[in-house]
Amino acid sequence: MAARRIPLLLSRSFTSSSPTLFSRGRDSSLCRAAAAAAASCGYSTASSAAAAAEDPITPPVKVDYTQLLINGQFVDSASGKTFPTLDPRTGDVITHVAEGEAEDVNRAVSAARKAFDEGPWPRMTAYERSKIILRFADLLERHNDEIAALETWDNGKPFEQSAQTEVPMTTRLFRYYAGWADKIQGLTAPADGPYHVQTLHEPIGVAGQIIPWNFPLLMFAWKVGPALACGNTIVLKTAEQTPLSALYVSKLLHEAGLPPGVLNIVSGYGPTAGAALASHMEVDKLAFTGSTTTGKIVLQLAAKSNLKPVTLELGGKSPFIVCEDADVDKAAELAHYALFFNQGQCCCAGSRTFVHESVYDQFVEKANALAMKRVVGDPFKGGIQQGPQIDSEQFEKILKYIRSGVDGGAKLETGGERLGAKGYYIKPTVFTGVKDDMLIAKDEIFGPVQSILKYKDLDEVIQRSNASQYGLAAGVFTHNLDTANTLMRALRVGSVWINCFDVFDAAIPFGGYKQSGQGREKGSYSLSNYLQVKAVVTALKNPAWL
Ligand code: NAI
Ligand code: MG
């Protein structure tokens, strides 16, 4: 079963971009279907150019749910409007989805409000809630491959990654928070007086959640898992590029016993549905993942409406530091994975590869070789490491950054252009000689573009790593304990991965310093995002002790 391979993928995550590891997944039924489809399309070997140029493989799944989910029912939008969701392999329409706007957000919030104020969810025991979440996780496992296929179709990420990493990680995350549901508790505190002091950790109420398109399912899980475990109700807005997987899994959550109104899903655009949710007076908490620019907008909307607390997971420009003691082959593999994983569309991508001057030339050679070898093509085909970018907007933006790198004087080693004539494929791109003040070293590119920078000593690389508006994550490659200890404390970022990267287990908190965000998600830390702490003080009469 695909899920059992996850610990391996996580512990060796830096190698998971290698085709050999992904080929372990071919026993899954849809992997077999994809392989058969690939064979019938004439794909025999994984040739990047050929794969992108051929007709796309027919996804082995159909789209069942396209309406809004409000109060446990799939319904049309109030306006009757729909919008298309596109296949990034071609830009063709997959299907049309109900387009939620302010009126639909109102309907969804009313349902969530009623479910919180009057419904069974916050009133059932935490153990009962945890059993429903566990049943949901079992259903996720059972439908692993259909969900993975929908995710790949809508997003363009390799099917093997969806089936072997993302759906199993989503399942793991819900089991993790199911485990927390009945372990949430307050405390008693000794006060300086005749008082009994206790804290109640209460659900916060109606949670508004806005998620992006780069990891649609995982972002759904990071938001919905802890909110449900704490007994809240939810209105979630998916990204307009990727509405499909959340609708599918939400149906399963209701099959598992979730009462109506507890989770409501509104597909739609940011400035309409997203803004209506962020500024809603009846929403008690807002959680957002996406760009720093939009993060600032939703924070303002929250402040201007009812001052709801906000957690933000935003952009990054994460340093990946290759130290002088590095085994260069391994360092280059890990740095390659840190940047290129998920088509480079990761908030925490290791997008500034700092390499010590003593190993720089050797590293560059290896990094180029890896980028040139990277297998790009139809994500439904076996052995594919990189699919298309999400949409034309991101595609154009990345190509613009590549042009700015060339114009700014960085050396384009490989890639630098689109692959094929259809869809949004971009060749794995490597720049060397990158300087800190170039746009490609400062801005979040969100694409398969590696920028390699040279450094001389540790103090210098610490200073340069921290000289960023962002502070999301960092990678460190060294076996020198002193170097590792110095860097882990000096880097002003929310996650430091030492000799690994992108290790995203449910138990590990994630979030940013500086303009990379506010608050932490995952782990026990995320529970506090969805709880209110109430202090209850009772006067004591003739206490036996204080
Ligand atoms: P975005 O931040 O605009 O979109 C993320 C979510 O926010 C989507 O659900 C969107 O509909 C919603 N949204 C947009 N405008 C809104 C508004 N005014 N009010 C409320 N919600 C709103 O990101 P976008 O445009 O998809 O990508 C732009 C850049 O953002 C990317 O190139 C990348 O650099 C960054 N990004 C970062 C992500 C991360 O994981 N931190 C994820 C996606 C994008
Ligand atoms: Mg799509």
Side-chain angles (χ1 to χ4, degrees), residues 13 15 99 113 151 172 313 353 391 431 456 487 544-545:
S13 56
T15 60
E99 181 182 339
R113 185 82 262 163
E151 190 79 330
R172 149 81 176 139
E313 300 282 0
T353 310
D391 62 12
F431 277 111
K456 277 187 193 342
L487 286 171
W545 53 270

Side-chain angles (χ1 to χ4, degrees), residues 30-110:
L30 282 183
C31 278
R32 279 199 304 278
S40 70
C41 286
Y43 299 155
S44 50
T45 55
S47 154
S48 296
E54 294 287 345
D55 283 342
I57 294 170
T58 304
V61 67
K62 62 184 184 38
V63 179
D64 287 329
Y65 309 109
T66 58
Q67 291 167 291
L68 311 177
L69 177 61
I70 297 178
N71 206 25
Q73 303 290 322
F74 283 109
V75 294
D76 288 332
S77 59
S79 67
K81 281 204 266 184
T82 62
F83 66 98
T85 185
L86 308 180
D87 181 343
R89 301 176 301 168
T90 55
D92 295 344
V93 175
I94 299 173
T95 188
H96 288 84
V97 171
E99 181 182 339
E101 293 175 309
E103 196 178 333
D104 303 292
V105 169
N106 285 339
R107 287 197 289 163
V109 172
S110 298

Side-chain angles (χ1 to χ4, degrees), residues 66 87 93 98 157 204 210 267 297 337 391 420 433 462 473 488 490 501 532 538:
T66 58
D87 181 343
V93 175
K157 60 182 68 198
I204 202 164
I210 300 175
S267 316
I297 294 173
Y337 171 67
D391 62 12
I462 290 169
M488 76 169 77
F501 205 87
Q532 281 285 16
T538 311

Side-chain angles (χ1 to χ4, degrees), residues 210-214 237-241 269-271 274-275 288-291 294 297-298 301 313-315 347 394 397 444 446:
I210 300 175
I211 60 173
W213 44 264
N214 53 340
K237 191 197 87 65
T238 46
E240 56 272 29
Q241 296 88 347
Y269 292 98
F288 171 84
T289 298
S291 64
T294 305
I297 294 173
V298 299
L301 294 174
E313 300 282 0
L314 308 176
C347 50
Q394 291 294 313
K397 175 181 151 184
E444 183 172 57
F446 234 59

Side-chain angles (χ1 to χ4, degrees), residues 466-497:
N466 286 338
S468 169
Q469 61 167 315
Y470 297 117
L472 193 54
V476 169
F477 196 89
T478 183
H479 288 97
N480 182 316
L481 188 61
D482 294 331
T483 304
N485 281 332
T486 299
L487 286 171
M488 76 169 77
R489 282 175 159 69
L491 293 168
R492 296 191 36 74
V493 297
S495 297
V496 180
W497 286 297

Side-chain angles (χ1 to χ4, degrees), residues 7-271:
L8 179 74
L9 274 168
L10 285 174
S11 62
R12 301 181 53 205
S13 56
F14 70 90
T15 60
S16 69
S17 61
S18 93
T20 46
L21 188 64
F22 271 158
S23 69
R24 289 168 201 271
R26 293 202 180 124
D27 55 346
S28 97
S29 57
L30 282 183
C31 278
R32 279 199 304 278
S40 70
C41 286
Y43 299 155
S44 50
T45 55
S47 154
S48 296
E54 294 287 345
D55 283 342
I57 294 170
T58 304
V61 67
K62 62 184 184 38
V63 179
D64 287 329
Y65 309 109
T66 58
Q67 291 167 291
L68 311 177
L69 177 61
I70 297 178
N71 206 25
Q73 303 290 322
F74 283 109
V75 294
D76 288 332
S77 59
S79 67
K81 281 204 266 184
T82 62
F83 66 98
T85 185
L86 308 180
D87 181 343
R89 301 176 301 168
T90 55
D92 295 344
V93 175
I94 299 173
T95 188
H96 288 84
V97 171
E99 181 182 339
E101 293 175 309
E103 196 178 333
D104 303 292
V105 169
N106 285 339
R107 287 197 289 163
V109 172
S110 298
R113 185 82 262 163
K114 192 155 191 281
F116 186 78
D117 293 343
E118 298 165 29
W121 186 247
R123 285 159 198 88
M124 69 176 70
T125 67
Y127 179 50
E128 289 299 323
R129 279 199 297 272
S130 90
K131 283 196 290 187
I132 291 172
I133 303 171
L134 286 173
R135 276 203 295 274
F136 172 49
D138 291 346
L139 289 172
L140 287 172
E141 207 159 64
R142 193 170 321 147
H143 295 276
N144 188 85
D145 289 0
E146 291 100 288
I147 301 167
L150 268 186
E151 190 79 330
T152 287
W153 198 2
D154 219 6
N155 169 283
K157 60 182 68 198
F159 173 72
E160 287 162 339
Q161 177 189 322
S162 300
Q164 294 169 31
T165 305
E166 287 178 38
V167 185
M169 281 176 86
T170 299
T171 306
R172 149 81 176 139
L173 194 129
F174 278 101
R175 291 213 173 100
Y176 175 85
Y177 282 108
W180 267 114
D182 59 358
K183 293 159 199 75
I184 293 165
Q185 56 195 30
L187 48 75
T188 56
D192 187 18
Y195 302 108
H196 173 73
V197 180
Q198 57 189 314
T199 59
L200 301 179
H201 290 192
E202 300 184 337
I204 202 164
V206 176
Q209 305 181 325
I210 300 175
I211 60 173
W213 44 264
N214 53 340
F215 292 96
L217 264 177
L218 270 179
M219 294 304 101
F220 172 92
W222 289 18
K223 304 267 181 294
V224 172
L228 289 184
C230 295
N232 298 282
T233 63
I234 299 166
V235 177
L236 179 139
K237 191 197 87 65
T238 46
E240 56 272 29
Q241 296 88 347
T242 52
L244 299 180
S245 57
L247 293 172
Y248 185 102
V249 301
S250 299
K251 177 74 172 48
L252 297 181
L253 188 44
H254 285 83
E255 251 174 74
L258 192 78
V262 176
L263 174 64
N264 305 275
I265 308 283
V266 179
S267 316
Y269 292 98

